[in-house]
Coordinates of all heavy atoms in Angstrom, one line a residue:
M1 N 43.2 -8.7 -13.2 CA 41.9 -8.4 -12.6 C 40.7 -9.3 -13.2 O 40.4 -9.3 -14.3 CB 41.5 -6.9 -13.1 CG 41.4 -6.0 -11.9 SD 40.5 -4.6 -12.4 CE 40.9 -3.4 -11.3
T2 N 40.4 -10.2 -12.3 CA 39.3 -11.2 -12.7 C 38.1 -10.7 -12.3 O 37.1 -11.3 -12.9 CB 39.6 -12.5 -12.2 OG1 39.7 -12.5 -10.7 CG2 41.0 -13.1 -12.6
D3 N 37.8 -9.7 -11.4 CA 36.6 -9.3 -11.0 C 36.0 -8.3 -12.0 O 36.5 -7.5 -12.3 CB 36.6 -8.7 -9.6 CG 37.0 -9.8 -8.5 OD1 36.6 -10.9 -8.8 OD2 37.5 -9.3 -7.5
S4 N 34.8 -8.5 -12.4 CA 34.1 -7.5 -13.2 C 32.8 -7.0 -12.7 O 32.3 -7.7 -11.8 CB 33.8 -8.1 -14.6 OG 32.9 -9.2 -14.4
Y5 N 32.5 -5.8 -13.0 CA 31.4 -5.3 -12.4 C 30.0 -5.8 -13.1 O 30.1 -5.8 -14.3 CB 31.4 -3.6 -12.5 CG 30.1 -3.0 -12.0 CD1 29.9 -3.1 -10.6 CD2 29.1 -2.6 -12.7 CE1 28.7 -2.3 -10.2 CE2 28.0 -2.0 -12.4 CZ 27.8 -1.9 -11.0 OH 26.8 -1.4 -10.5
H6 N 29.1 -6.1 -12.2 CA 27.8 -6.7 -12.8 C 26.8 -5.7 -12.3 O 26.7 -5.5 -11.1 CB 27.5 -8.1 -12.4 CG 26.4 -8.7 -13.2 ND1 25.1 -8.7 -12.7 CD2 26.4 -9.4 -14.3 CE1 24.5 -9.4 -13.6 NE2 25.2 -9.8 -14.5
P7 N 25.8 -5.3 -13.2 CA 24.8 -4.3 -12.8 C 24.0 -4.9 -11.7 O 23.2 -4.1 -11.0 CB 24.1 -4.0 -14.0 CG 24.4 -4.9 -15.0 CD 25.7 -5.5 -14.6
D8 N 23.7 -6.1 -11.5 CA 22.8 -6.8 -10.7 C 23.5 -6.7 -9.1 O 22.7 -7.1 -8.3 CB 22.4 -8.1 -11.0 CG 21.6 -8.1 -12.2 OD1 21.0 -7.1 -12.5 OD2 21.5 -9.0 -12.9
D9 N 24.7 -6.2 -9.0 CA 25.3 -6.3 -7.7 C 24.6 -5.3 -6.6 O 24.7 -5.5 -5.6 CB 26.7 -6.0 -7.9 CG 27.5 -7.2 -8.5 OD1 27.0 -8.2 -8.6 OD2 28.6 -6.8 -9.0
D10 N 24.1 -4.3 -7.3 CA 23.5 -3.2 -6.3 C 21.9 -3.5 -6.2 O 21.3 -2.6 -5.6 CB 23.6 -1.9 -7.1 CG 25.0 -1.4 -7.1 OD1 25.7 -1.9 -6.3 OD2 25.3 -0.6 -8.0
R11 N 21.5 -4.7 -6.4 CA 20.0 -4.9 -6.1 C 19.5 -4.8 -4.7 O 18.5 -4.4 -4.4 CB 19.6 -6.2 -6.8 CG 19.5 -6.2 -8.3 CD 18.8 -7.5 -8.8 NE 18.7 -7.3 -10.1 CZ 17.9 -8.1 -11.0 NH1 17.5 -9.2 -10.3 NH2 17.7 -7.9 -12.2
G12 N 20.4 -5.2 -3.8 CA 20.2 -5.2 -2.4 C 20.0 -3.7 -2.0 O 19.1 -3.5 -1.1
C13 N 20.9 -2.9 -2.4 CA 20.9 -1.5 -1.9 C 19.5 -0.9 -2.6 O 18.9 -0.1 -2.1 CB 22.1 -0.8 -2.4 SG 22.2 0.9 -1.7
L14 N 19.4 -1.2 -3.9 CA 18.2 -0.6 -4.6 C 16.9 -1.1 -4.0 O 16.0 -0.4 -3.8 CB 18.3 -0.9 -6.1 CG 17.2 -0.4 -6.9 CD1 17.2 1.2 -6.9 CD2 17.5 -0.9 -8.4
R15 N 16.8 -2.4 -3.6 CA 15.7 -2.8 -2.9 C 15.4 -2.2 -1.5 O 14.3 -1.8 -1.3 CB 15.9 -4.3 -2.7 CG 14.7 -5.0 -2.1 CD 14.9 -6.6 -1.9 NE 15.1 -7.1 -3.3 CZ 16.1 -7.9 -3.5 NH1 16.9 -8.4 -2.6 NH2 16.2 -8.5 -4.8
L16 N 16.4 -1.7 -0.9 CA 16.3 -1.1 0.3 C 15.8 0.4 0.0 O 14.9 0.9 0.8 CB 17.6 -1.1 1.1 CG 17.6 -0.4 2.5 CD1 16.8 -1.2 3.5 CD2 19.1 -0.2 3.1
V17 N 16.2 1.0 -0.9 CA 15.7 2.3 -1.3 C 14.4 2.4 -1.6 O 13.5 3.2 -1.3 CB 16.8 3.0 -2.3 CG1 16.2 4.2 -2.8 CG2 18.2 3.2 -1.7
L18 N 14.0 1.4 -2.5 CA 12.7 1.3 -3.1 C 11.6 0.8 -1.9 O 10.5 1.1 -2.1 CB 12.5 0.4 -4.2 CG 13.2 0.9 -5.5 CD1 13.3 -0.1 -6.6 CD2 12.5 2.2 -5.9
A19 N 12.2 0.1 -0.9 CA 11.3 -0.4 0.1 C 10.7 0.7 0.9 O 9.5 0.6 1.6 CB 12.0 -1.3 1.0
V20 N 11.4 1.8 1.0 CA 11.1 3.0 1.8 C 9.7 3.5 1.4 O 8.7 3.6 2.3 CB 12.2 4.0 2.0 CG1 11.7 5.2 2.7 CG2 13.3 3.4 2.7
P21 N 9.6 4.0 0.2 CA 8.3 4.6 -0.2 C 7.2 3.6 -0.2 O 6.0 3.9 0.0 CB 8.5 5.1 -1.6 CG 9.6 4.5 -2.1 CD 10.5 4.2 -0.9
I22 N 7.4 2.2 -0.7 CA 6.4 1.3 -0.6 C 5.9 1.0 0.8 O 4.7 0.9 1.0 CB 6.8 0.0 -1.4 CG1 7.0 0.3 -2.9 CG2 5.8 -1.1 -1.1 CD1 7.5 -0.7 -3.7
T23 N 6.9 0.9 1.7 CA 6.5 0.7 3.1 C 5.8 1.9 3.7 O 4.6 1.7 4.4 CB 7.8 0.3 3.9 OG1 8.4 -0.8 3.3 CG2 7.4 0.0 5.4
L24 N 6.1 3.1 3.5 CA 5.5 4.3 4.0 C 4.1 4.4 3.4 O 3.0 4.6 4.1 CB 6.2 5.5 3.6 CG 7.5 5.8 4.5 CD1 8.2 7.0 3.9 CD2 7.2 6.0 6.0
L25 N 3.8 4.1 2.1 CA 2.5 4.1 1.5 C 1.7 3.0 2.1 O 0.4 3.2 2.4 CB 2.7 4.0 0.1 CG 3.1 5.3 -0.6 CD1 3.4 5.0 -2.2 CD2 2.1 6.4 -0.6
T26 N 2.3 1.9 2.4 CA 1.5 0.7 3.0 C 1.1 1.1 4.4 O 0.0 0.7 4.9 CB 2.3 -0.6 2.9 OG1 2.7 -0.8 1.5 CG2 1.5 -1.7 3.5
V27 N 1.9 1.7 5.2 CA 1.6 2.1 6.6 C 0.6 3.1 6.5 O -0.4 3.0 7.4 CB 2.9 2.7 7.3 CG1 2.6 3.2 8.6 CG2 3.9 1.4 7.5
I28 N 0.5 4.1 5.6 CA -0.5 5.1 5.6 C -1.8 4.4 5.2 O -2.9 4.8 5.9 CB -0.1 6.2 4.6 CG1 1.0 7.0 5.1 CG2 -1.2 7.1 4.2 CD1 1.7 7.9 4.0
A29 N -1.8 3.5 4.3 CA -2.9 2.8 3.9 C -3.5 2.0 5.1 O -4.7 1.9 5.3 CB -2.7 1.8 2.7
A30 N -2.6 1.4 5.9 CA -3.1 0.6 6.9 C -3.7 1.5 8.1 O -4.7 1.0 8.7 CB -1.9 -0.1 7.6
F31 N -3.2 2.6 8.4 CA -3.8 3.5 9.2 C -5.2 3.9 8.9 O -6.2 3.9 9.7 CB -2.9 4.9 9.5 CG -3.6 5.8 10.3 CD1 -3.7 5.7 11.7 CD2 -4.2 6.9 9.7 CE1 -4.4 6.6 12.4 CE2 -5.0 7.9 10.4 CZ -5.1 7.8 11.8
F32 N -5.4 4.2 7.5 CA -6.7 4.8 7.1 C -7.6 3.5 7.1 O -8.9 3.6 7.2 CB -6.6 5.6 5.8 CG -6.1 6.9 6.0 CD1 -4.9 7.4 5.4 CD2 -6.9 7.8 6.7 CE1 -4.4 8.6 5.7 CE2 -6.4 9.1 7.0 CZ -5.0 9.5 6.5
C33 N -7.1 2.3 6.7 CA -8.0 1.1 6.7 C -8.5 0.8 8.1 O -9.6 0.4 8.3 CB -7.1 -0.1 6.0 SG -8.2 -1.6 5.8
W34 N -7.5 1.0 8.9 CA -7.8 0.7 10.4 C -9.0 1.7 10.8 O -9.9 1.3 11.5 CB -6.6 0.8 11.3 CG -7.0 0.8 12.8 CD1 -7.2 -0.3 13.5 CD2 -7.1 1.9 13.6 NE1 -7.5 0.1 14.8 CE2 -7.4 1.5 14.9 CE3 -6.9 3.3 13.4 CZ2 -7.6 2.3 15.9 CZ3 -7.1 4.1 14.4 CH2 -7.5 3.7 15.7
A35 N -8.7 3.0 10.5 CA -9.8 3.8 10.9 C -11.1 3.6 10.3 O -12.1 3.8 10.9 CB -9.3 5.3 10.4
A36 N -11.2 3.2 8.9 CA -12.4 3.0 8.3 C -13.2 1.6 9.0 O -14.3 1.7 9.0 CB -12.2 2.7 6.8
L37 N -12.3 0.7 9.3 CA -12.8 -0.5 9.9 C -13.3 -0.4 11.3 O -14.3 -1.2 11.9 CB -11.9 -1.6 9.7 CG -11.6 -2.1 8.3 CD1 -10.5 -3.1 8.3 CD2 -12.9 -2.6 7.7
T38 N -12.8 0.5 12.1 CA -13.1 0.8 13.4 C -14.2 1.7 13.8 O -14.8 1.7 14.9 CB -11.9 1.0 14.3 OG1 -11.2 2.2 13.9 CG2 -10.9 -0.2 14.3
M39 N -14.5 2.7 12.8 CA -15.4 3.8 13.0 C -16.8 3.0 13.1 O -17.2 2.3 12.1 CB -15.3 4.7 12.0 CG -14.5 5.9 12.3 SD -14.6 7.1 10.9 CE -12.8 7.2 10.4
R40 N -17.6 3.6 14.0 CA -19.0 3.0 14.1 C -19.9 4.2 14.2 O -19.8 5.0 15.2 CB -19.1 2.0 15.3 CG -18.4 0.8 15.3 CD -18.9 -0.2 14.3 NE -18.1 -1.3 14.4 CZ -17.4 -1.8 13.3 NH1 -17.4 -1.3 12.1 NH2 -16.7 -3.0 13.4
P41 N -20.8 4.4 13.3 CA -21.7 5.5 13.4 C -22.6 5.2 14.7 O -23.1 4.1 15.0 CB -22.6 5.4 12.1 CG -21.9 4.5 11.2 CD -21.1 3.7 12.0
S42 N -23.2 6.4 15.3 CA -24.0 6.3 16.3 C -25.4 5.8 16.0 O -26.2 5.3 16.8 CB -24.1 7.6 17.1 OG -22.8 8.0 17.5
G43 N -25.7 6.1 14.8 CA -27.1 5.8 14.3 C -27.2 6.1 12.9 O -26.3 6.5 12.2
P44 N -28.4 5.8 12.2 CA -28.6 6.2 10.9 C -28.5 7.6 10.5 O -28.3 8.0 9.4 CB -29.9 5.5 10.5 CG -30.5 5.3 11.7 CD -29.5 5.2 12.8
W45 N -28.7 8.5 11.5 CA -28.5 9.9 11.3 C -27.2 10.4 11.3 O -27.0 11.7 11.1 CB -29.3 10.6 12.4 CG -29.0 10.0 13.8 CD1 -29.7 9.0 14.5 CD2 -28.0 10.4 14.6 NE1 -29.2 8.7 15.6 CE2 -28.1 9.5 15.8 CE3 -27.0 11.3 14.6 CZ2 -27.2 9.7 16.8 CZ3 -26.1 11.5 15.6 CH2 -26.2 10.6 16.8
D46 N -26.2 9.7 11.6 CA -24.8 10.1 11.9 C -24.1 10.3 10.6 O -23.2 9.5 10.2 CB -24.1 9.2 12.9 CG -22.7 9.7 13.5 OD1 -22.4 11.0 13.2 OD2 -22.0 9.1 14.2
D47 N -24.4 11.3 9.9 CA -23.7 11.6 8.6 C -22.3 11.9 8.7 O -21.6 11.5 7.7 CB -24.4 12.8 7.9 CG -26.0 12.4 7.5 OD1 -26.2 11.2 7.3 OD2 -26.7 13.3 7.4
D48 N -21.7 12.4 9.8 CA -20.3 12.8 9.9 C -19.5 11.5 10.0 O -18.5 11.4 9.4 CB -20.2 13.6 11.1 CG -20.7 15.0 11.0 OD1 -20.8 15.4 9.7 OD2 -21.0 15.6 12.0
A49 N -20.0 10.5 10.7 CA -19.4 9.2 10.7 C -19.3 8.5 9.4 O -18.3 7.9 9.1 CB -20.0 8.4 11.9
Y50 N -20.5 8.6 8.7 CA -20.5 7.9 7.4 C -19.5 8.6 6.4 O -18.9 8.0 5.6 CB -21.9 7.9 6.9 CG -22.7 6.9 7.5 CD1 -23.9 7.3 8.3 CD2 -22.6 5.5 7.4 CE1 -24.6 6.3 8.9 CE2 -23.4 4.6 8.0 CZ -24.4 5.0 8.7 OH -25.2 4.1 9.3
A51 N -19.4 9.9 6.4 CA -18.6 10.6 5.7 C -17.1 10.3 5.9 O -16.3 10.3 5.2 CB -18.8 12.2 5.8
A52 N -16.8 10.2 7.4 CA -15.5 9.8 7.7 C -15.0 8.5 7.2 O -13.9 8.2 6.8 CB -15.3 10.1 9.3
I53 N -16.0 7.5 7.3 CA -15.6 6.1 6.8 C -15.4 6.3 5.3 O -14.4 5.6 4.8 CB -16.9 5.2 7.2 CG1 -17.0 5.0 8.5 CG2 -16.7 3.9 6.3 CD1 -18.2 4.3 9.0
V54 N -16.2 6.9 4.5 CA -15.9 7.1 3.1 C -14.6 7.7 2.7 O -13.9 7.2 2.0 CB -17.1 7.8 2.4 CG1 -16.8 8.1 0.9 CG2 -18.4 7.0 2.5
L55 N -14.2 8.8 3.6 CA -13.0 9.5 3.4 C -11.8 8.5 3.7 O -10.8 8.4 2.9 CB -12.9 10.7 4.2 CG -11.6 11.4 4.0 CD1 -11.4 12.0 2.6 CD2 -11.5 12.6 5.1
S56 N -11.9 7.7 4.8 CA -10.8 6.7 5.1 C -10.8 5.8 4.1 O -9.6 5.3 3.8 CB -11.2 6.2 6.5 OG -11.1 7.2 7.5
C57 N -11.8 5.2 3.5 CA -11.8 4.2 2.4 C -11.1 4.9 1.2 O -10.2 4.1 0.6 CB -13.1 3.7 2.0 SG -13.9 2.8 3.4
I58 N -11.3 6.1 0.8 CA -10.8 6.6 -0.2 C -9.4 6.9 -0.1 O -8.5 6.6 -1.0 CB -11.5 8.0 -0.6 CG1 -12.9 7.7 -1.1 CG2 -10.6 8.8 -1.7 CD1 -13.8 9.1 -1.2
L59 N -8.9 7.3 1.1 CA -7.5 7.4 1.4 C -6.8 6.2 1.4 O -5.6 6.1 1.0 CB -7.3 8.2 2.7 CG -7.8 9.8 2.5 CD1 -7.7 10.4 4.0 CD2 -6.9 10.6 1.5
T60 N -7.4 5.1 1.9 CA -6.7 3.8 1.9 C -6.6 3.4 0.4 O -5.5 2.9 0.1 CB -7.6 2.9 2.6 OG1 -7.8 3.1 4.0 CG2 -7.0 1.4 2.6
I61 N -7.5 3.5 -0.3 CA -7.4 3.1 -1.7 C -6.4 3.9 -2.5 O -5.6 3.4 -3.3 CB -8.9 3.1 -2.4 CG1 -9.8 1.9 -1.8 CG2 -8.7 2.8 -3.9 CD1 -11.1 2.1 -2.2
G62 N -6.3 5.2 -2.2 CA -5.4 6.0 -2.8 C -3.9 5.7 -2.6 O -3.1 5.6 -3.3
A63 N -3.7 5.5 -1.1 CA -2.3 5.1 -0.8 C -1.9 3.7 -1.1 O -0.9 3.5 -1.7 CB -2.2 5.2 0.8
A64 N -2.9 2.8 -1.1 CA -2.5 1.5 -1.6 C -2.4 1.5 -3.1 O -1.4 0.8 -3.5 CB -3.6 0.4 -1.1
G65 N -3.2 2.2 -3.9 CA -2.9 2.4 -5.3 C -1.7 2.9 -5.6 O -1.0 2.5 -6.6
A66 N -1.2 3.9 -4.8 CA 0.2 4.5 -5.1 C 1.2 3.5 -4.9 O 2.2 3.4 -5.6 CB 0.4 5.7 -4.3
A67 N 1.1 2.8 -3.8 CA 2.2 1.7 -3.6 C 2.1 0.6 -4.7 O 3.2 0.2 -5.1 CB 1.9 1.0 -2.2
I68 N 1.0 0.2 -5.1 CA 0.9 -0.8 -6.2 C 1.4 -0.3 -7.5 O 2.1 -0.8 -8.3 CB -0.6 -1.4 -6.3 CG1 -1.1 -2.1 -5.1 CG2 -0.8 -2.2 -7.5 CD1 -2.5 -2.3 -4.8
G69 N 1.0 1.1 -7.7 CA 1.5 1.6 -9.0 C 3.0 1.8 -9.0 O 3.6 1.7 -10.0
L70 N 3.6 2.2 -7.9 CA 5.0 2.2 -8.0 C 5.6 0.9 -8.1 O 6.7 0.8 -8.9 CB 5.5 2.8 -6.5 CG 6.9 2.8 -6.2 CD1 7.6 3.9 -7.1 CD2 7.2 3.3 -4.7
W71 N 5.0 -0.2 -7.5 CA 5.6 -1.5 -7.9 C 5.4 -1.9 -9.2 O 6.2 -2.8 -9.7 CB 5.0 -2.5 -6.9 CG 5.5 -3.9 -7.0 CD1 6.6 -4.3 -6.6 CD2 5.0 -5.0 -7.8 NE1 6.8 -5.8 -6.9 CE2 5.8 -6.1 -7.8 CE3 3.8 -5.0 -8.6 CZ2 5.6 -7.3 -8.4 CZ3 3.6 -6.3 -9.3 CH2 4.5 -7.4 -9.2
L72 N 4.4 -1.4 -9.9 CA 4.2 -1.9 -11.3 C 5.0 -1.4 -12.3 O 5.2 -1.8 -13.4 CB 2.7 -1.5 -11.7 CG 1.6 -2.3 -11.1 CD1 0.3 -1.6 -11.6 CD2 1.7 -3.8 -11.5
L73 N 5.9 -0.4 -11.9 CA 7.0 0.2 -12.8 C 7.9 -1.0 -13.0 O 8.4 -1.6 -12.1 CB 7.7 1.4 -12.1 CG 6.8 2.6 -11.9 CD1 7.5 3.6 -11.0 CD2 6.4 3.2 -13.3
P74 N 8.3 -1.1 -14.4 CA 9.2 -2.3 -14.7 C 10.5 -2.2 -13.9 O 11.1 -3.3 -13.6 CB 9.4 -2.0 -16.2 CG 8.3 -1.3 -16.6 CD 7.9 -0.4 -15.5
S75 N 11.1 -1.0 -13.7 CA 12.4 -1.0 -13.1 C 12.3 -1.4 -11.5 O 13.3 -2.0 -11.0 CB 13.0 0.4 -13.1 OG 12.1 1.2 -12.6
V76 N 11.2 -1.2 -11.0 CA 10.9 -1.5 -9.6 C 10.5 -3.1 -9.6 O 11.0 -3.8 -8.6 CB 9.7 -0.8 -8.9 CG1 9.5 -1.2 -7.6 CG2 10.1 0.7 -9.0
R77 N 9.7 -3.5 -10.5 CA 9.3 -4.9 -10.4 C 10.5 -5.9 -10.6 O 10.6 -7.0 -10.1 CB 8.4 -5.3 -11.6 CG 7.0 -5.6 -11.1 CD 6.1 -6.0 -12.1 NE 6.6 -5.6 -13.5 CZ 6.0 -5.1 -14.6 NH1 4.7 -5.1 -14.4 NH2 6.5 -4.8 -15.6
R78 N 11.5 -5.5 -11.3 CA 12.6 -6.2 -11.5 C 13.5 -6.4 -10.2 O 14.1 -7.5 -10.1 CB 13.5 -5.6 -12.6 CG 14.7 -6.3 -13.0 CD 15.5 -5.6 -14.0 NE 15.0 -4.4 -14.6 CZ 15.6 -3.3 -14.7 NH1 16.8 -3.1 -14.1 NH2 15.0 -2.1 -15.0
V79 N 13.4 -5.5 -9.3 CA 14.1 -5.6 -8.0 C 13.2 -6.1 -6.9 O 13.7 -6.9 -6.0 CB 14.7 -4.2 -7.7 CG1 15.4 -4.3 -6.4 CG2 15.6 -3.8 -8.8
M80 N 12.0 -5.8 -6.8 CA 11.2 -6.0 -5.7 C 10.3 -7.5 -6.1 O 9.9 -7.5 -7.2 CB 10.1 -4.9 -5.4 CG 10.9 -3.6 -5.2 SD 11.9 -3.6 -3.8 CE 10.7 -3.2 -2.5
Q81 N 10.1 -8.3 -5.1 CA 9.4 -9.5 -5.3 C 7.9 -9.2 -5.4 O 7.5 -8.2 -5.1 CB 9.7 -10.5 -4.2 CG 11.0 -11.1 -4.2 CD 12.1 -10.4 -3.5 OE1 11.7 -9.4 -2.8 NE2 13.3 -10.6 -3.8
W82 N 7.2 -10.2 -5.8 CA 5.7 -10.1 -6.1 C 4.9 -9.8 -4.8 O 4.0 -9.2 -4.8 CB 5.1 -11.3 -6.7 CG 5.3 -12.4 -5.9 CD1 6.3 -13.4 -5.9 CD2 4.3 -13.0 -4.9 NE1 6.1 -14.4 -5.0 CE2 4.8 -14.1 -4.4 CE3 3.1 -12.6 -4.5 CZ2 4.1 -14.8 -3.5 CZ3 2.4 -13.2 -3.6 CH2 3.0 -14.4 -3.0
W83 N 5.4 -10.1 -3.7 CA 4.7 -10.0 -2.5 C 4.8 -8.7 -1.8 O 3.9 -8.4 -0.8 CB 5.3 -11.1 -1.4 CG 6.7 -11.1 -1.1 CD1 7.6 -11.9 -1.6 CD2 7.4 -10.3 -0.2 NE1 8.7 -11.6 -1.2 CE2 8.6 -10.6 -0.3 CE3 6.8 -9.3 0.8 CZ2 9.6 -10.1 0.5 CZ3 7.9 -8.7 1.5 CH2 9.1 -9.0 1.4
W84 N 5.6 -7.8 -2.3 CA 5.7 -6.4 -1.7 C 4.3 -5.7 -1.7 O 3.9 -5.0 -0.8 CB 6.7 -5.7 -2.4 CG 8.2 -5.9 -1.7 CD1 9.1 -6.9 -2.0 CD2 8.6 -5.2 -0.6 NE1 10.1 -6.8 -1.2 CE2 9.8 -5.8 -0.4 CE3 8.2 -4.2 0.3 CZ2 10.8 -5.4 0.8 CZ3 9.0 -3.7 1.2 CH2 10.2 -4.4 1.6
P85 N 3.7 -5.7 -3.0 CA 2.5 -4.9 -2.9 C 1.1 -5.7 -2.3 O 0.1 -5.2 -2.2 CB 2.1 -4.6 -4.5 CG 2.8 -5.9 -5.1 CD 4.0 -6.2 -4.3
L86 N 1.4 -6.9 -1.9 CA 0.3 -7.7 -1.5 C -0.4 -7.1 -0.2 O -1.7 -7.1 -0.1 CB 0.8 -9.2 -1.2 CG -0.3 -10.2 -0.9 CD1 -1.2 -10.4 -2.1 CD2 0.4 -11.4 -0.5
P87 N 0.3 -6.6 0.9 CA -0.5 -6.0 2.0 C -1.4 -4.8 1.5 O -2.5 -4.6 2.0 CB 0.6 -5.6 2.9 CG 1.8 -6.4 2.6 CD 1.7 -6.8 1.1
A88 N -0.8 -4.1 0.6 CA -1.6 -2.9 0.2 C -2.8 -3.2 -0.7 O -3.8 -2.6 -0.5 CB -0.6 -2.0 -0.7
T89 N -2.6 -4.4 -1.4 CA -3.7 -4.8 -2.2 C -4.8 -5.4 -1.2 O -6.1 -5.1 -1.6 CB -3.3 -6.0 -3.2 OG1 -2.2 -5.5 -4.0 CG2 -4.5 -6.4 -4.1
V90 N -4.5 -6.0 -0.3 CA -5.4 -6.7 0.8 C -6.2 -5.4 1.4 O -7.3 -5.5 1.5 CB -4.7 -7.5 1.8 CG1 -5.6 -7.8 2.8 CG2 -4.3 -8.9 1.0
M91 N -5.5 -4.4 1.8 CA -6.1 -3.2 2.5 C -7.0 -2.5 1.6 O -8.1 -2.1 1.9 CB -5.1 -2.3 3.1 CG -4.4 -2.9 4.2 SD -3.3 -1.8 5.1 CE -1.8 -2.2 4.1
A92 N -6.6 -2.4 0.3 CA -7.4 -1.7 -0.7 C -8.7 -2.5 -0.9 O -9.8 -1.9 -1.0 CB -6.7 -1.6 -2.0
V93 N -8.7 -3.7 -1.0 CA -9.9 -4.6 -1.1 C -10.8 -4.5 0.2 O -12.0 -4.4 0.1 CB -9.5 -6.2 -1.4 CG1 -10.7 -7.0 -1.3 CG2 -8.8 -6.3 -2.7
A94 N -10.2 -4.5 1.3 CA -10.8 -4.3 2.6 C -11.6 -3.1 2.6 O -12.8 -2.9 3.0 CB -10.0 -4.6 3.7
A95 N -10.9 -1.9 2.2 CA -11.5 -0.6 2.2 C -12.5 -0.5 1.2 O -13.7 0.1 1.4 CB -10.4 0.5 1.9
A96 N -12.4 -1.1 0.2 CA -13.5 -1.1 -0.9 C -14.8 -1.9 -0.5 O -15.8 -1.5 -0.7 CB -13.0 -1.7 -2.2
A97 N -14.5 -3.0 0.3 CA -15.6 -3.8 1.0 C -16.3 -3.0 1.9 O -17.6 -2.9 2.0 CB -15.1 -5.1 1.4
R98 N -15.6 -2.2 2.7 CA -16.2 -1.5 3.9 C -16.9 -0.4 3.2 O -18.2 0.1 3.7 CB -15.0 -0.9 4.8 CG -15.4 0.1 5.9 CD -16.5 -0.6 6.7 NE -16.6 0.4 8.0 CZ -17.7 0.4 8.6 NH1 -18.8 -0.2 8.2 NH2 -17.8 1.3 9.5
W99 N -16.4 0.3 2.2 CA -17.1 1.4 1.6 C -18.5 0.9 0.9 O -19.5 1.6 1.0 CB -16.3 2.0 0.4 CG -16.7 3.3 -0.2 CD1 -17.8 4.0 0.1 CD2 -16.0 3.9 -1.1 NE1 -17.8 5.1 -0.6 CE2 -16.8 5.1 -1.5 CE3 -14.7 3.8 -1.8 CZ2 -16.4 6.2 -2.5 CZ3 -14.5 4.7 -2.8 CH2 -15.2 5.8 -3.0
A100 N -18.3 -0.2 0.3 CA -19.6 -0.8 -0.3 C -20.7 -1.2 0.8 O -21.9 -1.0 0.6 CB -19.3 -2.1 -1.2
V101 N -20.1 -1.7 2.0 CA -21.2 -2.1 3.0 C -21.7 -0.8 3.7 O -22.9 -0.8 4.2 CB -20.4 -3.1 4.0 CG1 -21.3 -3.3 5.1 CG2 -20.3 -4.4 3.2
S102 N -20.9 0.2 3.9 CA -21.3 1.3 4.7 C -22.5 2.2 4.0 O -23.2 2.8 4.8 CB -20.1 2.3 4.9 OG -19.8 2.9 3.8
G103 N -22.6 2.0 2.8 CA -23.6 2.3 2.0 C -24.4 3.6 2.2 O -25.3 4.1 2.0

């Protein structure tokens, strides 16, 4: 028997399993980021629209933060490349900018 088991052999399967929650959290963040960026208040008196924008921004930042936090775990970082949390980071920055501008 010349073949020996190496623990890195399961990285492909582990990457697939870990990609599911990161992808789901990124899709959730994308939905709320889209909602925050496309909502337009009818006027300065439209408090409901401003509240919905703020809530969408908070939910975007929360979902993106969860995806980034999951990737920051050492066992996940060892398997997943650096670009996996990049879309979530971009959406969190966009939501934070929208939140700051919606004032």
Side-chain angles (χ1 to χ4, degrees):
M1 249 198 198
T2 58
D3 294 333
S4 64
Y5 177 74
H6 194 269
D8 293 338
D9 291 340
D10 291 336
R11 283 190 176 190
C13 185
L14 184 60
R15 185 175 297 128
L16 183 65
V17 169
L18 291 173
V20 171
I22 291 177
T23 303
L24 286 176
L25 287 168
T26 303
V27 167
I28 291 168
F31 172 75
F32 286 114
C33 186
W34 170 80
L37 293 175
T38 58
M39 270 187 237
R40 299 285 181 240
S42 298
W45 47 267
D46 197 0
D47 293 332
D48 291 336
Y50 286 112
I53 291 170
V54 169
L55 179 63
S56 294
C57 291
I58 289 170
L59 292 173
T60 300
I61 293 169
I68 295 165
L70 178 63
W71 182 81
L72 286 175
L73 295 171
S75 59
V76 177
R77 245 188 346 214
R78 188 173 356 121
V79 178
M80 309 294 278
Q81 286 85 17
W82 63 269
W83 54 265
W84 274 93
L86 192 62
T89 306
V90 169
M91 285 182 273
V93 169
R98 174 66 168 144
W99 190 0
V101 170
S102 71

